[in-house]
Amino acid sequence: MNVFVWEMKRNARTTIVWMLALMLLQLMYISIYPSMVKDAELLTRMTRLLPKAFLRIFGLEDLDFSNILSYQASISSIYVTLVGSIFAVLLTCKVLAKEESEKTAEFLLSKPVKRSNVLLQKISSTLTLILIFDLVVCVSSLLMIEFFKQGSVDYTRFWLFWFSQILLHLTVANLVFTIIVLAKRQDSTTSFSIGMTFVLYILAMASKLTEKLEFLKYLTPFCYSDGIRTVKYGRIEPVFLVIYFFLNLALVLSSLCFYSKKDIYL
């Protein structure tokens, strides 16, 4: 039984809907960029009137309105970073948690296939769909930037920004897989996972407020993939890449280990 292909087909429509929604959101905020550039100086003065804490949280302290990548990164901290993560959460829950709620887990696990193999195919299909989602949205973003840009674009920083977002969404998916596997029942895993995502996002914002809270950045992947910092400095900190590697490895291995021994409640 090819679980990978089955999951790809079952979740293709959902992925397409989310892709189109995010592409429309991007088009909406990038299309107003040319008019903003004309009043860049006025907008810069207006942002300086906002509370420093607000500017720090959303990375607006050094925002250059003449740079479309900086503009995109600041807006994408909500639309791409958060919305993309919510998509990863809902997709993961649909792939695994609903096997119990829809009473299909008994049928699936009764087949002569190891549980670890079933889960590995589900993880692979989920991560593949997330990659397709991010790559399509990334290409659409590139086309929009090419159309609406008002100057030169640093494409190295553009690709680094999207690489950071892909890493974030894949990590969120693996984290949710582990949560679902560890949960005794899946009734509330979706709401819990969405709540956890918002908490991690808030921790990332809180870490920017003061130096005393800066340690929080190591507790949330939203800080590892801070798009504003990535575009500003043109790099992803090596320590975050190392954390990403070992975190995802630990999450996948933990999910495979616990799922093989888990009692399935129907």
Side-chain angles (χ1 to χ4, degrees), residues 37-38 42 47 58 77 82 105 116 118 120 164 185 207 234 258:
V37 172
K38 295 177 183 177
L42 176 61
T47 56
F58 292 100
S77 64
L82 187 57
S116 58
V118 170
L120 196 57
S164 71
R185 300 190 67 88
S207 69
F258 287 110

Side-chain angles (χ1 to χ4, degrees), residues 226-256:
D226 188 334
I228 297 170
R229 187 178 59 237
T230 301
V231 169
K232 182 179 179 180
Y233 297 107
R235 69 187 184 93
I236 302 174
E237 294 179 39
V239 64
F240 291 151
L241 293 175
V242 173
I243 293 174
Y244 262 136
F245 175 78
F246 286 105
L247 177 60
N248 280 282
L249 181 62
L251 289 172
V252 171
L253 291 178
S254 298
S255 297
L256 292 171

Side-chain angles (χ1 to χ4, degrees), residues 181-207:
V181 167
L182 291 175
K184 188 173 182 179
R185 300 190 67 88
Q186 273 67 56
D187 301 338
S188 60
T189 50
T190 301
S191 56
F192 177 83
S193 298
I194 292 175
M196 174 208 67
T197 303
F198 278 105
V199 169
L200 292 175
Y201 183 74
I202 292 170
L203 286 176
M205 292 193 294
S207 69

Side-chain angles (χ1 to χ4, degrees), residues 92-93 96-97 100 115 119 123 173-190 192-193 196 247 250-265:
T92 304
C93 290
L96 190 58
E100 289 189 28
R115 280 193 181 191
L119 183 61
I123 292 175
N174 284 327
L175 182 57
V176 175
F177 265 117
T178 305
I179 291 171
I180 295 172
V181 167
L182 291 175
K184 188 173 182 179
R185 300 190 67 88
Q186 273 67 56
D187 301 338
S188 60
T189 50
T190 301
F192 177 83
S193 298
M196 174 208 67
L247 177 60
L251 289 172
V252 171
L253 291 178
S254 298
S255 297
L256 292 171
C257 178
F258 287 110
Y259 193 71
S260 299
K261 303 174 184 178
K262 181 182 179 180
D263 292 327
I264 303 298
Y265 296 89

